Amino acid sequence: MITAGVFAAAFLLIAVLVSIGAFGRTNLRLTHYMQGRGSFAQDLGLGIFAYLGSIELTLVIGALIGLALFRGLRLLAVLPVAVILVASGLEFLGKLVVPSVAPGKALQRFPDILPSLGHHVGKYSFPSGHVLRATIAYGLLLYLAERWELFGRDSSRLSPVLVLVVFLVGYAVVYLGWHWFSDAVGGFLLGLTLLFGLIAYLERKRTVNPGHAPVDD
């Protein structure tokens, strides 16, 4: 929980800096730099990749984790989905509290031929919900793969892939003009706060109640 507290403090610091406009020029320069190297193929690829941070897909992943690993344990079975929903609620609250105006229409690069699912660029953009949910969902997968051997003994091979997924979701939402760099950093830090809080709880269940080990097929 100490680690979660450190990330929470870092998130609050970023939120304060965003509120006073400390990232204004940096955000704009980074977005222009990233988009200046873009193409329609990159728009399309990153637009599809951004789905990995959508609330729809991350909720499905959370539900599958609960069903696969915690069958018969009601609280643990719904916990991944519950944390993702709480995270989305905090995202909504953050957008109300921190006045970070979202990138304008001129910076939007999400291809019109792709469905936007539940995402729409609103007036305010801090923190990034896509990065927030991706950090929780794929960070939880990484933890379960390493500690609970969710995918078997070779689970560690997935670690670099899952880390890369979170990074690319963050890159995608900035490149597509959905969020500023500071929004992505805020989503990442808030996601790590919730993730490490969840991991601390699962570690307690793992050590105090050894019977809560993964269910073998």
Side-chain angles (χ1 to χ4, degrees), residues 109-158:
R109 298 197 62 144
F110 186 77
D112 293 334
I113 62 174
L114 295 178
S116 61
L117 296 182
H119 178 78
H120 300 282
V121 178
K123 182 177 181 180
Y124 298 115
S125 60
F126 181 89
S128 166
H130 278 67
V131 178
L132 169 59
R133 287 183 291 270
T135 302
I136 295 171
Y138 305 111
L140 181 58
L141 276 175
L142 175 60
Y143 161 73
L144 293 174
E146 292 284 349
R147 296 285 286 165
W148 295 59
E149 296 184 355
L150 179 61
F151 304 106
R153 294 184 178 179
D154 295 329
S155 296
S156 60
R157 295 180 181 178
L158 285 173

